[in-house]
Amino acid sequence: MSQPIDRRAFMNRAAGASAAVSLSLAGPSTRQVMGANDRVRVGVIGTGRQGTSNLRAFQKNGAEIVAVCDVYAPNLAKAKAAAQGFQEGREVVAYTDFRKLLDDKTIDVVINATPDHWHALPVVMACQAGKDVFVEKPVSVSVEEGKAMLAAARKHQRVVQVALWQRSNLHFQQAAQIVRQGLLGKVTFVRTWNYSNAFPDGIGNPPDSAPPEGLDWDMWLGPAPKVPFNANRFGVGDRWSTFRHFWDYSNGMLGDWAVHLIDIVQWALEAPGPQVITAAGQKHAVKDNGDTPDTLQTTFEYPGFVCTYENRQANGNSMFGKAYGIEFHGTEATMFLNRSGFEVFPETRKVQQTTGAGEKSEKEVARAASMRMEEVDDGLYNHAGNMLECMKSRKRPACDIE
């Protein structure tokens, strides 16, 4: 982390009519890639699009993939080939039952990239088996599941990292530092959002059908209610999986995207959990077979500030022209933040003249130019590296299960 930022210098940088806020975001990580002799052995449960990305992030950090597991044969075969093709030596073993993977005593850490409703049980069992865990977000579908996962991690003294990898992006770290140092003033309101327009068809309305060849549908459902196979409930294809549009397996956009955004809010403001949560929303426009809302407004009341999360799937208009993001509103400035960088907008307000002759406006402070980098650092790579470091040190990771 860089040295503390001087408030006056920061605001001066933000002031010029076309001056960029020249805080350094990019830079090489001080973390060293693990050597061959230190190689950590990894097993991957859930080898879809995200699971394979996680697999590669660990490999790039010097870890060895020794086993993969999935209930869908095509994904399993692709992941095994990808893992084997990136490393020499030990054969990658393929399983269709995660319990057999957990029985492998040579595995040091398990990546759990299953659908959300399958997060809790493999994590608890992996901890019981003496393995560290890297689990996809959201932690769980229910609070009770999350508590059981935390209890298992602590009881068995396991390192359990949640894949909210934005915490490991350098520019998110810099933005959080700005918030914590009070350079925005007192932050009393934060807005987070995802806006899109999928009207009218959304994810579509495929009929129920027989499962595709190579899929164990009963095992995929697992603890969820038994229902006929539907392509949207399974969701695997040339897009991000659509299972999150169904309450049986997820919490909709709150579990898919809001967790990324609100995690940064709580982390930057060093806030405990919210005291009160209120939500309103339903399906108003999109006509697909999903059952989560297409329009949602959620308010989280914290000690000292209020945070909102908005999701629209039938209108993509945005104040900043961005499909998603975070706005920290402070008494001195507002910060817009997303995965591309951040911008700071100094606050303009009227002041009373000392003569009492009436009000006059302060000279309007020009907006800080957009803070962007040609190449944003790889947060997932950094996050996997942090996990591997903490496995050695036994310290809590950047995004601990708690």
Side-chain angles (χ1 to χ4, degrees), residues 168-223:
S168 295
N169 266 122
L170 296 179
H171 80 276
F172 276 99
Q173 294 171 2
Q174 184 76 73
Q177 183 188 20
I178 289 170
V179 174
R180 292 182 196 130
Q181 290 183 332
L183 302 183
L184 305 181
K186 179 174 176 53
V187 175
T188 59
F189 182 76
V190 185
R191 182 190 306 275
T192 66
W193 72 92
N194 292 100
Y195 300 149
S196 64
N197 195 333
F199 180 80
D201 296 327
I203 60 173
N205 287 278
D208 293 343
S209 64
E213 184 177 353
L215 172 64
D216 184 342
W217 179 238
D218 284 342
M219 188 64 169
W220 189 95
L221 289 173

Side-chain angles (χ1 to χ4, degrees), residues 25 165-166 169 171-172 322 324-325 336-343 370-377:
L25 296 182
W165 52 263
Q166 291 176 161
N169 266 122
H171 80 276
F172 276 99
K322 307 297 182 184
Y324 73 99
F336 166 76
L337 169 66
N338 71 5
R339 292 177 179 177
S340 297
F342 61 83
E343 304 172 63
S370 174
M371 183 173 253
R372 292 289 181 268
M373 294 178 290
E374 291 184 2
E375 184 177 355
V376 176
D377 65 303

Side-chain angles (χ1 to χ4, degrees), residues 91-284:
E91 177 74 13
V92 177
V93 181
Y95 297 104
T96 57
D97 188 326
F98 75 91
R99 292 168 292 190
K100 293 183 178 179
L101 182 147
L102 295 181
D103 286 340
D104 186 340
K105 298 187 184 304
T106 69
I107 292 175
D108 302 304
V109 58
V110 170
I111 297 172
N112 183 357
T114 59
D116 301 354
H117 71 296
W118 260 117
H119 284 182
L121 188 60
V123 169
V124 170
M125 292 177 67
C127 291
Q128 292 171 339
K131 304 180 191 308
D132 295 325
V133 184
F134 185 90
V135 59
E136 261 306 321
K137 59 81 194 169
V139 170
S140 60
V141 173
S142 72
V143 174
E144 290 77 15
E145 288 178 337
K147 288 181 177 180
M149 296 161 77
L150 173 59
R154 296 294 185 259
K155 177 180 179 179
H156 300 284
Q157 300 181 348
R158 296 294 93 201
V159 176
V160 181
Q161 169 100 295
V162 181
L164 290 167
W165 52 263
Q166 291 176 161
R167 291 196 187 196
S168 295
N169 266 122
L170 296 179
H171 80 276
F172 276 99
Q173 294 171 2
Q174 184 76 73
Q177 183 188 20
I178 289 170
V179 174
R180 292 182 196 130
Q181 290 183 332
L183 302 183
L184 305 181
K186 179 174 176 53
V187 175
T188 59
F189 182 76
V190 185
R191 182 190 306 275
T192 66
W193 72 92
N194 292 100
Y195 300 149
S196 64
N197 195 333
F199 180 80
D201 296 327
I203 60 173
N205 287 278
D208 293 343
S209 64
E213 184 177 353
L215 172 64
D216 184 342
W217 179 238
D218 284 342
M219 188 64 169
W220 189 95
L221 289 173
K226 187 170 183 176
V227 294
F229 174 83
N230 185 276
N232 275 349
R233 285 179 175 270
F234 180 44
V236 172
D238 295 330
R239 55 184 175 180
W240 287 108
S241 183
T242 52
F243 70 83
R244 290 196 178 97
H245 292 259
F246 298 86
W247 293 125
D248 285 345
Y249 323 118
S250 75
N251 294 314
M253 285 295 286
L254 284 170
D256 186 11
W257 254 104
V259 293
H260 274 302
L261 304 174
I262 294 173
D263 177 62
I264 295 299
V265 174
Q266 294 192 159
W267 179 57
L269 287 165
E270 299 179 306
Q275 296 170 312
V276 179
I277 305 172
T278 56
Q282 57 184 288
K283 290 189 75 168
H284 289 293

